[in-house]
Amino acid sequence: MILGPGDDAAILEAPDGRVVVSTDLLIEGRHFRRDWSSGYDIGRKAAAQNLSDIVAMGADPTAIVVGLGLPGEASAEWLDALTDGFRDECALVGATVAGGDIARSDIVVIGVTALGDLGGRTPVTRSGARPGDVVAVAGRLGYAAAGLALLSAERGTTEVPDFAEEFVAAHRRPEPPYACGPEAAGLGATAMLDVSDGLLQDLGHVATASGVRIVLDPAALPVPEAMARLAAELDADPLTWVLTGGEDHALAATFPRDVSLPPSWRVVGQVSDAEGEAKAEVSGRAETSGGWDHFRE
Amino acid sequence: MILGPGDDAAILEAPDGRVVVSTDLLIEGRHFRRDWSSGYDIGRKAAAQNLSDIVAMGADPTAIVVGLGLPGEASAEWLDALTDGFRDECALVGATVAGGDIARSDIVVIGVTALGDLGGRTPVTRSGARPGDVVAVAGRLGYAAAGLALLSAERGTTEVPDFAEEFVAAHRRPEPPYACGPEAAGLGATAMLDVSDGLLQDLGHVATASGVRIVLDPAALPVPEAMARLAAELDADPLTWVLTGGEDHALAATFPRDVSLPPSWRVVGQVSDAEGEAKAEVSGRAETSGGWDHFRE
């Protein structure tokens, strides 16, 4: 950082000569609740969500800038915790909080913009997947969705059983696999994105942008035992969390079939010709009112 | 722009190897009202506010990214007008709308982040003013404040007299002197900022950051005739609008005394030793309950 907060604008190094930029707006009551997450966790999550978009291009995050809308009753301690969360999440990837703006608002509003540097790498977009590629995922799927389902089941935060704590923690504070983004770019990934709307929907974006069909292998998407147990307790379908949960900020990418993938990336499907309908689907399964069932033939 | 909207992040050229970045959050009811301004004007103003921060560093704006919070009742037409406003204001400086994010919200929230390129110039911060420098202003002062005062005088938008229309227009759509920022950097400005909190308060920031005293000459800050007439009608002090009104996004800068300033910059004061109290003041005047009066000695 060449010039930090306190002037009209911040100034950052952009050694690559290109700058990667992404922005998101988080609204209280829709993206977070102050009674379900601490200020610190909200700061961590808001930063993570945007830093993840930067690594999903294959870039290294350099900084975030933050626009905050704060109600009068938000305490200085809460604001400090929030900004500590921004700072600590940025520190995980060597980025800094370069600036911000605070306005009065009736509810908490957090606008985060993240910047990144490509370090000479070719950016990995959504449109480069080719028939014959493999589809791989880095990071967790369905954890945050499981945690949110538990918190939403009218039980609040007081009755989280021990075995389910990791899911609530995942909802409060995602752990994007930051290093895997630049790693994938270096490995020659043909397409990549941050899983923010759910694996199936986001791979649908890759399929549409690339003009291909993506077929996921459900056997490659195992449901962890604790997640299955929680789903049973909540009468929910755990595969729905895995396939449609977005807030873990996993990365999904396509790679040429001959690329030797490191253990951080696990193959979950294949890319084939669109055959007239570019989309992502799950092999042998369809979504029903009760979850993702085997086709009944 | 190397990669525009539609992916996880946008990618922009940063030929200077440094990138300038600034963010602001605008909240409905606090920064704008949908019954006082059109969607198009709100888009123009939100973009202008951030582009102005970029030129105030001496940089050329390259792009904005926008996070939008929108209520369900906001029409597609209103959203189109808003984004047209973003686009047209950016076009004034050769910048583009590189990306965005839309979330559901109970009120309209607009987070704008602007990026810029220094083109090899030394950035102009708030901290470089030196005793002996002159203080100069580019752009309008008090126009937007006068317009807001008229709209706020419980008359709504229906009874704006012809002579005051330029002030209401200035509130709705500021006209920052964009070209004057890079121009000032090229002329050797020692400090510069965007007047967003009012001339006196913002020059106070320069004084504090630079460790100097800034003295404004009230004779160099004439009140336009129409502004004086409106102030008389509203029983207001026009010099208060000029000295404390912020939304015109004028630029204020300090220059070495021997710099020959072009007509876009008008000298309004002097920089002197702080003498123990770094601040900005108006020569011979003090703020009273009724406005800015001559000292009574």
Side-chain angles (χ1 to χ4, degrees):
Chain A
M1 186 156 57
I2 299 168
L3 181 70
D7 220 297
D8 290 297
I11 306 176
L12 306 165
E13 301 273 10
D16 179 88
R18 297 169 294 179
V19 62
V20 180
V21 59
S22 180
T23 197
D24 274 314
L25 198 61
L26 288 84
I27 312 265
E28 178 170 19
R30 299 184 188 270
H31 301 99
F32 61 87
R33 286 175 50 160
R34 277 187 280 168
D35 56 339
W36 285 2
S37 297
S38 68
Y40 181 76
D41 283 344
I42 293 167
R44 290 286 295 261
K45 183 175 182 164
Q49 175 172 336
N50 281 271
L51 296 171
S52 178
D53 282 324
I54 300 299
V55 302
M57 303 303 293
D60 298 305
T62 51
I64 64 170
V65 292
V66 180
L68 279 182
L70 283 185
E73 86 279 4
S75 68
E77 290 72 24
W78 190 88
L79 177 59
D80 284 347
L82 183 77
T83 56
D84 286 350
F86 294 145
R87 182 199 61 208
D88 288 356
E89 192 71 20
C90 282
L92 293 178
V93 292
T96 52
V97 182
D101 175 52
I102 296 186
R104 187 57 68 88
S105 173
D106 292 332
I107 55 171
V108 177
V109 178
I110 306 174
V112 179
T113 303
L115 305 181
D117 190 84
L118 282 160
R121 289 180 293 274
T122 300
V124 187
T125 68
R126 303 177 173 194
S127 60
R130 295 169 304 188
D133 285 352
V134 298
V135 181
V137 167
R140 303 185 300 195
L141 294 169
Y143 279 59
L148 180 61
L150 178 55
L151 290 174
S152 302
E154 297 182 43
R155 312 210 293 195
T157 59
T158 52
E159 289 185 52
V160 175
D162 283 355
F163 79 92
E165 275 183 357
E166 65 181 320
F167 304 117
V168 173
H171 163 72
R172 291 190 177 125
R173 196 189 300 177
E175 296 182 7
Y178 293 120
C180 297
E183 178 186 55
L187 288 166
T190 51
M192 181 159 54
L193 47 55
D194 158 54
V195 180
S196 52
D197 294 329
L199 183 65
L200 202 64
Q201 186 174 336
D202 282 315
L203 285 175
H205 299 150
V206 171
T208 306
S210 301
V212 297
R213 180 168 300 192
I214 286 176
V215 182
L216 294 175
D217 174 7
L221 296 165
V223 172
E225 190 183 353
M227 191 184 288
R229 181 174 166 192
L230 180 62
E233 284 203 10
L234 297 177
D235 195 22
D237 172 37
L239 197 56
T240 298
W241 294 338
V242 169
L243 290 171
T244 68
E247 294 192 304
D248 292 300
H249 297 287
L251 292 170
T254 56
F255 295 91
R257 186 172 296 277
D258 58 359
V259 169
S260 176
L261 292 176
S264 50
W265 287 93
R266 55 190 192 281
V267 173
V268 298
Q270 311 292 328
V271 181
S272 62
D273 280 322
E275 289 172 7
E277 193 181 6
K279 65 174 184 179
E281 60 193 353
V282 184
S283 180
R285 306 243 186 155
E287 190 170 19
T288 69
S289 60
W292 285 82
D293 292 344
H294 285 280
F295 286 131
R296 304 219 173 99
E297 298 184 71
Chain B
M1 186 155 59
I2 299 168
L3 181 70
D7 220 297
D8 290 297
I11 306 176
L12 306 166
E13 301 273 9
D16 179 89
R18 297 168 294 179
V19 61
V20 180
V21 57
S22 180
T23 197
D24 274 313
L25 198 61
L26 289 85
I27 312 264
E28 178 171 18
R30 300 185 188 270
H31 300 99
F32 60 88
R33 286 175 52 158
R34 278 187 280 167
D35 56 339
W36 284 2
S37 297
S38 68
Y40 181 76
D41 283 344
I42 292 167
R44 291 285 297 259
K45 182 173 181 165
Q49 175 172 333
N50 281 271
L51 296 170
S52 177
D53 282 324
I54 300 299
V55 302
M57 303 303 293
D60 297 306
T62 52
I64 65 170
V65 291
V66 180
L68 279 182
L70 283 185
E73 87 278 4
S75 68
E77 290 72 24
W78 190 89
L79 176 59
D80 284 347
L82 184 77
T83 55
D84 285 351
F86 294 145
R87 182 200 60 209
D88 288 355
E89 192 70 22
C90 282
L92 292 178
V93 292
T96 52
V97 182
D101 175 52
I102 296 187
R104 187 56 68 88
S105 172
D106 292 332
I107 55 171
V108 178
V109 178
I110 306 173
V112 179
T113 302
L115 305 182
D117 191 84
L118 283 159
R121 290 180 292 275
T122 300
V124 187
T125 68
R126 301 177 174 195
S127 59
R130 295 168 306 188
D133 284 352
V134 298
V135 181
V137 168
R140 303 186 298 195
L141 293 170
Y143 279 59
L148 180 61
L150 177 56
L151 290 173
S152 303
E154 297 182 42
R155 311 210 291 194
T157 57
T158 52
E159 290 186 51
V160 175
D162 283 354
F163 79 91
E165 275 183 356
E166 65 181 320
F167 305 118
V168 172
H171 163 73
R172 292 191 178 124
R173 196 189 300 177
E175 296 181 5
Y178 294 119
C180 297
E183 177 186 55
L187 289 166
T190 51
M192 180 158 56
L193 47 55
D194 159 53
V195 179
S196 53
D197 295 328
L199 183 66
L200 202 64
Q201 186 175 335
D202 282 315
L203 286 175
H205 298 150
V206 171
T208 306
S210 301
V212 298
R213 181 169 299 192
I214 287 176
V215 182
L216 294 175
D217 174 8
L221 297 164
V223 172
E225 189 183 355
M227 190 184 289
R229 180 174 166 194
L230 179 63
E233 285 203 10
L234 297 177
D235 196 21
D237 172 37
L239 196 56
T240 297
W241 294 338
V242 169
L243 289 171
T244 68
E247 294 192 304
D248 292 300
H249 298 288
L251 293 170
T254 56
F255 294 91
R257 185 172 296 275
D258 57 359
V259 170
S260 177
L261 292 176
S264 49
W265 288 93
R266 54 191 193 281
V267 173
V268 298
Q270 311 291 329
V271 181
S272 62
D273 280 321
E275 291 173 6
E277 193 180 5
K279 65 173 185 179
E281 61 193 353
V282 184
S283 180
R285 306 246 186 152
E287 191 170 18
T288 70
S289 60
W292 286 82
D293 291 345
H294 285 280
F295 286 130
R296 304 219 173 97
E297 300 184 70

